[in-house]
Amino acid sequence: MDTLKVARSTGAPHKFGTFGGVFTPSLLTILGVIMFLRLSNVVGYAGLGYTLVILAAAKAISVITGLSLSSIATNMRVKGGGAYFLISRSLGVEFGGVIAIFFFIAQAVAVTLYVVGFTEALFSAFPSITMSPLAVSTFTNILIFLCVYIGAGWTIKLQYGILAVLMLSMVSFFAGASAEFSMQTLNANMGSQWTAEYSFFAVFALFFPAVTGIMAGVNMSGDLKEPSISIPRGTFASIGFSALLYLVIAIMLAGGTARSELTSDAFVMRDMALWPSLIYAGVFCATLSSALGSMMGAPRILQAFARDNIFPRLRWFGAGSGKSGEPRRGIVLTFIIAQIGIVAGDLNTVAPIITMFFLLTYGTVNLACFYEGRSNNPSFRPTFRLNHWSVALTGALGCLAVMFLINAVWAGIAIVLAAGLFYLIARREITSKWGDLDSGLAYQNALKALLKLQQEQYHPKNWRPSILALVGSGHIRRHLCEYACLLTAGRGVVSVGQVIHGELENLLVRRNEAENILRKFLLKEEFPAFPVVMVEDNMHAAVKALLQCHGIGGMSPNTVMLGWSSDPDKTGVFRETLAIAKRMKRNLVIVSCGEECTLHEAPAGAINLWWSPPESGDLMMLLAYLLQTNNEWADKPLRILRPVALKADVNNITKDMQLMLASARIKAELVIIPTDAPLHAVRDNMGESAVLFAGFNPADDNPMACVKEQLQHIVDLPCNVILVYDAGDVSLLA
């Protein structure tokens, strides 16, 4: 009593339990007009035997979806939004957004269907009514709107009364059917009586909508006391109770009515009932309860979707009214959509796609559970454990199959619309504030790929550039990042390394900040690269640490990229970096390009390749080819400049080079230059050059000053220059 007073005094919103919040709305949505008007036709054409098969198959999809629903719901703190909340927090904002919009529209238009169904049943029971069907439907829609607008508490209480009347109608039917039950009639109705119009799949499609509705309780997730407990219990209770009810009704219909009546348009359940008026009351309650459930559920999905601000124009619908945050703006919109459908009148073309949207939602819930299970994410720890990813996958495929079974054309339309909306949301590149499965799946797939890659024996055919670009310590040299990404051409890995000089203990905060700055820079510039920041006393130690420790498995760097520097103070660091990279059998790429160099547009001219020394030719050729595969470089011709001795056999050298190019499957123009001054020959024959590749060998026995002096003449050529050293793991003939 004291607790109740405290709750009232603090103005806490009223929350519902399992029975009122999940079981009742779910059961009332499941038990619709199909049970009263179409189940007799199902038994008539399919016979009791196949009816039980159809019931079992349809309920199997409901049960599997319920298992998936329960697994996801018990793995998170469930808030408002029902299916949208569960799917968006699992599969991401794109899937969630598609389901939110489609499920909202489906439920809003479903109100129209249920209201029109109520009107038709009312005129069937009372043919003397003088009002027009449109007026009765409009009045009914307004009445349902007012009940829901007042609040969910009032509507839930009203549903208790509707459930009681519905159960009384069942009592009336069972009382009358039991008196007419005959084993002889039951045996006669055991077999099927298929026709061209009513085949097994056609009858299955006719019955399947009778098992939908399990999302009605989930849509109330924001109004439940304990969603993670109520959703599984209420959902399975409604599925089990409705299955038992359908089973008994089917047996009674098969044992109490001749097949000719079952296959006719007669209202068989009314004719068999002890009190026929209660069957009409049951039909009224079934349609009204389904309409109430849809009118309650649709606005709550819209409200949750609007609050996530995926489409800013919908944010207005995120506001709540009263202590419990009723989505009254969404209720008004749902009423308007339903009323437009009522005025339009012809719903035969709309009804199939509503079923498609419901099935699309069920299938996506199963898909979410499947991916959660397959991702092996440690965060997926549902308290409801009676499920497996293979079962969830079966449910997703089952929903897809049933969609095409019911109506292949509308199934295709629904999937195309869903794909279009998914693409529209994905294009907005919305960053969600909650975690979803994308990163978990990516991690799991990457882990499997890395383990497999590690087990594979290396072969030059599978060589890919994995470049560690050392971009400096004070600032980021953008042109190195650009060339590293261009030379991998989306077929290798780029790591952008930065070194901070000092002690890690003193610079840990700065290191983390530098890595974040580098990561943001790469994202902003859209470089497909990974940032890595190292704190060490000197550059030599940093490079050794990076080459030893950076990377994992077969993704470790095989190529080190440096920027050329003419600063004599950096000669020692430059020499040590080349030496350690060579000793550790890493390829070397040195880029000579002005600091102001940007490659948003490829420089004019050809991609030239100075074929010297020959041992670096394979790597130079492969990197030049990869550079050419980039769209902005695709129109650049590849030219091989090969200076040879004045007395060399030019014809044989040309043939050898042509054979090598043919074996390498690379198209390039050959320029053989007999000369005794190779540098001048290359300068004179390179023409307009976008970039020049040239080989070099950081020989251990040559002083670094001599090496830099020799290379300086090359980098002074009038174009961007890329110096290449091949460590020996690349083969053009692979």
Side-chain angles (χ1 to χ4, degrees):
M1 191 67 180
D2 292 337
T3 305
L4 180 60
K5 288 181 180 179
V6 171
R8 287 176 177 172
S9 64
T10 56
H14 180 67
K15 298 287 186 177
F16 305 105
T18 301
F19 184 79
V22 181
F23 175 78
T24 301
S26 297
L27 182 64
L28 291 179
T29 307
I30 293 171
L31 302 180
V33 291
I34 290 179
M35 179 182 70
F36 288 100
L37 302 178
R38 292 290 179 264
L39 190 53
S40 57
N41 294 140
V42 172
V43 176
Y45 289 108
L48 181 59
Y50 279 107
T51 297
L52 298 182
V53 173
I54 290 172
L55 175 61
K59 280 297 180 181
I61 293 177
S62 293
V63 169
I64 292 173
T65 305
L67 291 170
S68 299
L69 197 64
S70 300
S71 295
I72 298 173
T74 59
N75 188 57
M76 64 179 71
R77 185 170 175 264
V78 182
K79 299 180 181 178
Y84 161 70
F85 182 86
L86 298 178
I87 292 170
S88 64
R89 269 57 178 177
S90 293
L91 291 181
V93 66
E94 295 85 3
F95 277 103
V98 170
I99 294 306
I101 293 174
F102 281 11
F103 204 36
F104 167 74
I105 294 173
Q107 290 206 305
V109 178
V111 175
T112 304
L113 292 176
Y114 298 135
V115 168
V116 171
F118 168 80
T119 302
E120 292 177 356
L122 188 66
F123 274 89
S124 176
F126 305 101
S128 59
I129 295 176
T130 56
M131 293 175 64
S132 68
L134 177 60
V136 173
S137 295
T138 301
F139 177 78
T140 305
N141 193 34
I142 293 173
L143 185 64
I144 292 170
F145 163 72
L146 291 174
C147 290
V148 176
Y149 193 84
I150 292 171
W154 162 258
T155 309
I156 292 295
K157 292 176 183 177
L158 185 63
Q159 286 196 343
Y160 291 149
I162 292 175
L163 180 62
V165 174
L166 197 59
M167 291 301 101
L168 285 175
S169 69
M170 291 294 97
V171 171
S172 172
F173 169 73
F174 291 139
S178 59
E180 301 179 21
F181 189 85
S182 166
M183 288 302 299
Q184 184 177 357
T185 306
L186 181 68
N187 291 330
N189 288 327
M190 284 297 295
S192 61
Q193 193 177 77
W194 309 119
T195 65
E197 183 179 359
Y198 290 97
S199 62
F200 175 84
F201 293 121
V203 173
F204 180 86
L206 176 69
F207 174 76
F208 186 80
V211 302
T212 60
I214 61 173
M215 291 293 180
V218 181
N219 293 338
M220 300 294 295
S221 58
D223 299 281
L224 300 175
K225 294 176 183 176
E226 297 179 285
S228 61
I229 295 176
S230 295
I231 289 175
R233 291 180 180 178
T235 300
F236 283 112
S238 63
I239 292 173
F241 186 83
S242 59
L244 180 62
L245 201 59
Y246 284 146
L247 175 63
V248 178
I249 292 173
I251 294 173
M252 289 298 184
L253 287 171
T257 309
R259 189 183 295 272
S260 58
E261 292 184 44
L262 291 172
T263 55
S264 68
D265 293 331
F267 197 166
V268 177
M269 288 189 68
R270 177 200 60 190
D271 297 339
M272 294 179 68
L274 187 61
W275 301 288
S277 57
L278 282 177
I279 298 298
Y280 277 119
V283 175
F284 299 155
C285 288
T287 51
L288 288 176
S289 64
S290 297
L292 283 168
S294 297
M295 184 77 82
M296 277 196 303
R300 282 164 169 76
I301 293 173
L302 179 62
Q303 183 185 48
F305 182 60
R307 285 177 173 176
D308 284 337
N309 201 28
I310 295 171
F311 291 111
R313 292 184 180 181
L314 295 178
R315 195 172 184 178
W316 187 76
F317 291 101
S321 303
K323 296 176 182 178
S324 58
E326 290 289 332
R328 286 177 177 159
R329 294 175 180 178
I331 293 171
V332 172
L333 179 61
T334 304
F335 166 76
I336 292 172
I337 294 173
Q339 188 59 35
I340 291 173
I342 289 170
V343 172
D346 183 16
L347 299 174
N348 290 335
T349 56
V350 180
I353 203 166
I354 294 175
T355 302
M356 298 302 144
F357 287 173
F358 275 96
L359 282 167
L360 205 60
T361 303
Y362 295 171
T364 310
V365 169
N366 285 307
L367 192 66
C369 188
F370 162 69
Y371 278 127
E372 287 278 20
R374 286 294 291 164
S375 69
N376 290 329
N377 200 326
S379 66
F380 186 58
R381 304 184 302 275
T383 57
F384 182 88
R385 299 182 180 277
L386 299 177
N387 203 1
H388 189 264
W389 62 262
S390 59
V391 177
L393 178 61
T394 302
L397 296 175
C399 290
L400 183 65
V402 171
M403 286 176 65
F404 282 93
L405 191 63
I406 292 175
N407 192 310
V409 174
W410 279 114
I413 292 173
I415 291 173
V416 169
L417 290 174
L421 186 55
F422 182 96
Y423 175 73
L424 181 65
I425 297 174
R427 280 191 61 188
R428 294 177 60 84
E429 297 183 351
I430 298 167
T431 303
S432 61
K433 298 177 182 178
W434 59 86
D436 56 42
L437 274 171
D438 284 349
S439 58
L441 285 172
Y443 184 95
Q444 188 68 15
N445 291 333
L447 176 61
K448 290 182 178 179
L450 284 170
L451 290 172
K452 183 178 180 182
L453 192 61
Q454 182 175 260
Q455 295 166 3
E456 295 291 331
Q457 186 175 0
Y458 172 76
H459 189 278
K461 182 177 182 179
N462 298 319
W463 185 90
R464 291 169 181 259
S466 181
I467 298 177
L468 172 61
L470 301 176
V471 298
S473 56
H475 65 283
I476 302 170
R477 289 188 280 183
R478 189 182 191 280
H479 66 281
L480 292 181
C481 300
E482 288 182 293
Y483 264 121
C485 294
L486 287 170
L487 294 178
T488 54
R491 308 181 191 192
V493 179
V494 175
S495 299
V496 177
Q498 203 169 30
V499 177
I500 300 175
H501 297 287
E503 294 289 338
L504 179 61
E505 291 76 9
N506 302 325
L507 298 172
L508 184 58
V509 174
R510 182 183 167 190
R511 181 216 165 273
N512 294 336
E513 291 175 349
E515 187 173 71
N516 287 330
I517 291 171
L518 185 55
R519 181 179 290 106
K520 290 178 181 178
F521 167 78
L522 296 174
L523 289 173
K524 179 184 176 182
E525 299 295 335
E526 297 183 350
F527 290 139
F530 301 96
V532 53
V533 177
M534 177 71 66
V535 177
E536 273 293 351
D537 291 332
N538 56 74
M539 188 69 176
H540 179 66
V543 172
K544 282 202 300 183
L546 284 171
L547 292 181
Q548 288 182 87
C549 303
H550 181 61
I552 181 171
M555 308 299 284
S556 299
N558 55 30
T559 304
V560 178
M561 176 179 283
L562 304 169
W564 176 265
S565 175
S566 300
D567 187 350
D569 294 336
K570 296 182 179 179
T571 300
V573 173
F574 191 76
R575 174 182 57 79
E576 291 174 350
T577 303
L578 296 186
I580 188 63
K582 182 177 181 180
R583 284 201 300 272
M584 296 187 69
K585 297 186 178 180
R586 300 297 200 274
N587 305 312
L588 280 163
V589 173
I590 303 174
V591 178
S592 174
C593 177
E595 291 292 334
E596 71 284 353
C597 168
T598 57
L599 302 172
H600 292 300
E601 294 183 4
I607 300 173
N608 285 308
L609 193 152
W610 181 353
W611 194 264
S612 173
E615 55 266 23
S616 291
D618 284 7
L619 180 58
M620 281 195 297
M621 181 72 75
L622 191 55
L623 292 177
Y625 165 78
L626 289 172
L627 178 63
Q628 193 183 39
T629 60
N630 292 278
N631 291 333
E632 59 270 31
W633 290 75
D635 60 341
K636 307 292 180 187
L638 180 59
R639 301 173 73 241
I640 299 177
L641 308 175
R642 182 168 181 180
V644 297
L646 290 172
K647 296 182 179 180
D649 189 342
V650 174
N651 290 332
N652 281 334
I653 292 174
T654 302
K655 289 179 181 179
D656 290 342
M657 292 292 293
Q658 288 175 339
L659 180 62
M660 182 269 295
L661 287 173
S663 300
R665 305 172 300 283
I666 294 177
K667 292 182 179 179
E669 177 189 350
L670 273 175
V671 181
I672 308 297
I673 314 166
T675 181
D676 56 0
L679 180 64
H680 295 290
V682 169
R683 183 192 296 272
D684 295 340
N685 287 273
M686 61 190 294
E688 189 176 31
S689 180
V691 65
L692 172 69
F693 286 87
F696 81 103
N697 187 357
D700 297 330
D701 54 351
N702 284 350
M704 191 61 211
C706 296
V707 174
K708 285 203 71 173
E709 183 179 352
Q710 295 170 6
L711 298 180
Q712 186 68 55
H713 295 302
I714 300 175
V715 301
D716 285 341
L717 291 171
C719 65
N720 294 340
V721 176
I722 298 178
L723 302 171
V724 177
Y725 163 69
D726 187 349
D729 56 349
V730 181
S731 173
L732 278 178
L733 303 181

